Amino acid sequence: MNYSDTAHIAPPGPEAANQRWQHRLRLLGVSLCILLLWNGVCDLIYGYSPALSGGGYFSPAVWEVVRTAGGRSHGMVLLAQTAGWLYPLYALSYLPWWLGMRQAGVWLSLVPCALLAYALLMIGGIQHCGWAFLSVLAQAKAVAGSTDPVFYATAQSYILDHFLMGDLTALLAMYGGAVWHAVAVLSGRTAFPRWMVLVSPLGVLIITMAVGAALPAPLAGLVIAPFGTWYMLVPCLAVTIWWWRRPGLGQEA
């Protein structure tokens, strides 16, 4: 085939472009949902307690679980940190949301999705990699003992202070971005139907906490301890399914 033959070959049309978008978003969404299952395992290592009811997770009793990682071993706590490595990938879960929201403009699409993506990037480092440090003193005390309770309590307080300071912007972006995102979906200006606010990060957070609070031990911990996983997994799965069934993928907005 010479140059004159190839010159008459037409470029791929809109249908081929749509198929490529479908394939890429399906692959992205399915891959992220699978990876997010590991995040749930790590959440349970950090925060699950079979002794706490839903109400217990909203009481000071939960601090004992956080402070000791439920009494789990040093090796298990190290394992739980590995989920933090994947948060740069989890942040990509807001790309399909942005694709369906961009027709509403920057303030109702890019800004809330960027806030949520930033929150995930920070939470991966501060919470999932850093959460283990909250239980360091309890781990060390279990192995070597502690003969100075004042020093132990002071050190624990300082560790918590540093953790909360490092996590401050992540929490603001997480909750602020979730509310902003929900407002955008409810505005009716995005490609998504308004009912999808139920599977948005804010909707999932509210439903998870309400259901978890009503459950007795040991079931409550299975819902509330991995609330961060539900916060990411359900919206990712929902938006992946929505785009999967949507004709004209990549041509919205």
Side-chain angles (χ1 to χ4, degrees):
M1 181 180 293
N2 56 37
Y3 177 78
S4 61
D5 294 327
T6 59
H8 297 290
I9 297 176
E15 184 177 351
N18 285 342
Q19 290 176 350
R20 286 198 299 271
W21 269 105
Q22 285 179 327
H23 176 72
R24 290 167 183 169
L25 286 188
R26 287 172 183 174
L27 181 61
L28 176 65
V30 171
S31 299
L32 291 175
C33 287
I34 292 172
L35 291 174
L36 279 163
L37 296 177
W38 177 243
N39 195 81
V41 173
C42 295
D43 276 343
L44 292 172
I45 292 174
Y46 275 140
Y48 176 71
S49 171
L52 289 183
S53 65
Y57 269 95
F58 294 93
S59 74
V62 75
W63 171 240
E64 185 64 19
V65 179
V66 172
R67 186 184 66 80
T68 64
R72 282 171 274 278
S73 69
H74 180 60
M76 287 286 285
V77 178
L78 286 174
L79 188 64
Q81 288 185 286
T82 61
W85 302 342
L86 300 175
Y87 272 70
L89 298 179
Y90 297 159
L92 294 175
S93 64
Y94 290 110
L95 174 60
W97 279 102
W98 172 76
L99 286 172
M101 297 169 68
R102 55 183 174 165
Q103 67 188 44
V106 171
W107 290 103
L108 291 180
S109 60
L110 181 61
V111 173
C113 289
L115 283 172
L116 290 169
Y118 169 81
L120 293 195
L121 292 172
M122 288 295 294
I123 287 170
I126 298 298
Q127 287 193 11
H128 262 280
C129 284
W131 193 276
F133 294 101
L134 295 177
S135 63
V136 165
L137 290 182
Q139 293 178 57
K141 183 178 180 181
V143 174
S146 174
T147 59
D148 189 341
V150 175
F151 174 82
Y152 177 88
T154 303
Q156 185 73 70
S157 175
Y158 280 8
I159 291 174
L160 181 61
D161 287 346
H162 285 300
F163 180 83
L164 293 177
M165 177 58 71
D167 211 29
L168 180 61
T169 60
L171 293 176
L172 291 174
M174 174 182 170
Y175 294 113
V179 171
W180 202 325
H181 183 277
V183 169
V185 174
L186 287 173
S187 73
R189 296 171 58 186
T190 73
F192 302 118
R194 288 187 175 93
W195 65 260
M196 281 191 70
V197 73
L198 296 174
V199 291
S200 72
L202 181 65
V204 172
L205 181 64
I206 292 172
I207 292 171
T208 298
M209 292 304 177
V211 171
L215 290 174
L219 298 177
L222 296 175
V223 175
I224 298 180
F227 83 91
T229 297
W230 304 131
Y231 179 91
M232 296 184 289
L233 176 59
V234 175
C236 182
L237 180 61
V239 77
T240 298
I241 294 173
W242 191 87
W243 275 122
W244 203 309
R245 299 164 60 91
R246 187 77 173 178
L249 186 62
Q251 300 297 310
E252 298 293 330

